[in-house]
């Protein structure tokens, strides 16, 4: 009985800390000035089922959350919310926000500016807040792992063709055992 309780405690304890340390866009940009890191922006909507699955299954995976926390400033951004964002000396708002709880709302100007067309969407920025790329749709932990590794290490700069991307994928050694 004691062993079972101990194992259960360790399992719960290890997963309770498997969370991404989310921040606002302003916090990430400020942090980037003193400690340059790439930025990962997760664009979501409250009503989006795949967005909730990514929170539950992908971002809570211990390997993914640890890797993101160590290598990125992670921004969680409600793409249909009412927040104000200052970016590239521009102010982005959601002038058509209608305060619809748990239902679709107008897309935020910042999401449009970052070429987000649906949710979930991930946008990666380099250490100078310049866009690298964006990824659309749901990604499992194992599917997301090669991308975050590629972008964090700057290896994306060496991939110019589909063949090079396919070779990268073939050589990639996942740390996730499913």
């Amino acid at each position: 009985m004691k062993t079972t309780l101990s194992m259960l405690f360790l399992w719960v304890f290890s997963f309770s800390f498997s969370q991404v340390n989310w921040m606002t866009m302003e916090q990430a940009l400020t942090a980037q000035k003193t400690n340059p890191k790439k930025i990962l922006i997760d664009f979501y909507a409250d009503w989006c089922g795949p967005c909730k699955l990514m929170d539950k299954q992908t971002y809570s995976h211990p390997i993914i959350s640890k890797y993101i926390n160590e290598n990125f400033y992670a921004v969680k951004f409600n793409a249909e919310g009412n927040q104000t964002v200052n970016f590239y000396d521009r102010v982005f708002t959601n002038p058509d926000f209608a305060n619809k709880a748990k239902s679709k709302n107008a897309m935020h100007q910042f999401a449009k500016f970052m070429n987000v067309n649906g949710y979930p969407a991930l946008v990666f920025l380099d250490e100078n807040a310049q866009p690298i790329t964006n990824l659309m749709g749901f990604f499992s932990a194992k599917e997301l792992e090669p991308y975050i590794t590629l972008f964090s290490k700057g290896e994306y700069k060496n991939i110019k063709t589909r063949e090079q991307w396919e070779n990268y994928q073939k050589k990639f050694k996942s740390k996730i055992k499913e």
Side-chain angles (χ1 to χ4, degrees):
M1 179 70 173
K2 262 186 172 179
T3 304
T4 304
L5 285 174
S6 296
M7 293 300 286
L8 181 62
F9 175 76
L10 285 173
W11 183 79
V12 169
F13 184 76
S14 68
F15 279 97
S16 67
F17 288 103
S18 298
Q19 295 180 15
V20 173
N21 299 324
W22 297 109
M23 54 180 50
T24 66
M25 192 65 201
E26 288 76 17
Q27 290 169 329
L29 292 170
T30 300
Q32 207 176 40
K33 290 175 185 172
T34 56
N35 183 21
K37 276 193 200 179
K38 291 176 178 67
I39 296 175
L40 177 155
I41 309 170
D42 175 51
F43 287 91
Y44 73 96
D46 289 334
W47 53 265
C48 172
C51 300
K52 293 174 185 177
L53 276 176
M54 280 194 71
D55 284 340
K56 185 177 180 181
Q57 296 176 6
T58 306
Y59 296 130
S60 66
H61 191 285
I63 291 172
I64 295 299
S65 60
K66 182 177 187 240
Y67 196 87
I68 289 173
N69 289 336
E70 289 174 356
N71 296 283
F72 295 92
Y73 293 117
V75 174
K76 191 96 167 135
F77 190 84
N78 183 348
E80 295 183 357
N82 198 26
Q83 60 275 45
T84 299
V85 176
N86 294 299
F87 187 68
Y88 291 158
D89 296 323
R90 291 180 57 185
V91 176
F92 298 95
T93 62
N94 192 349
D96 299 321
F97 181 78
N99 200 19
K100 297 178 189 174
K102 304 281 184 190
S103 64
K104 293 185 180 183
N105 212 323
M107 187 180 284
H108 198 283
Q109 291 173 342
F110 183 60
K112 290 177 187 176
F113 180 76
M114 298 306 286
N115 293 318
V116 170
N117 298 312
Y119 320 117
L122 292 172
V123 174
F124 293 87
L125 306 177
D126 70 12
E127 294 84 355
N128 298 309
Q130 296 297 312
I132 297 171
T133 195
N134 56 5
L135 304 173
M136 300 292 173
F138 173 85
F139 287 83
S140 69
K142 193 155 185 136
E143 291 169 333
L144 185 60
E145 185 187 21
Y147 288 101
I148 60 176
T149 304
L150 176 81
F151 298 132
S152 71
K153 293 181 177 180
E155 294 173 0
Y156 65 93
K157 295 173 185 174
N158 302 323
I159 295 180
K160 308 273 189 252
T161 67
R162 183 175 188 88
E163 183 181 356
Q164 290 172 327
W165 168 243
E166 289 169 356
N167 286 336
Y168 171 82
Q169 287 181 302
K170 286 178 191 171
K171 293 176 184 176
F172 183 77
K173 302 276 189 249
S174 178
K175 294 179 180 155
I176 297 173
K177 307 298 178 222
E178 290 182 324

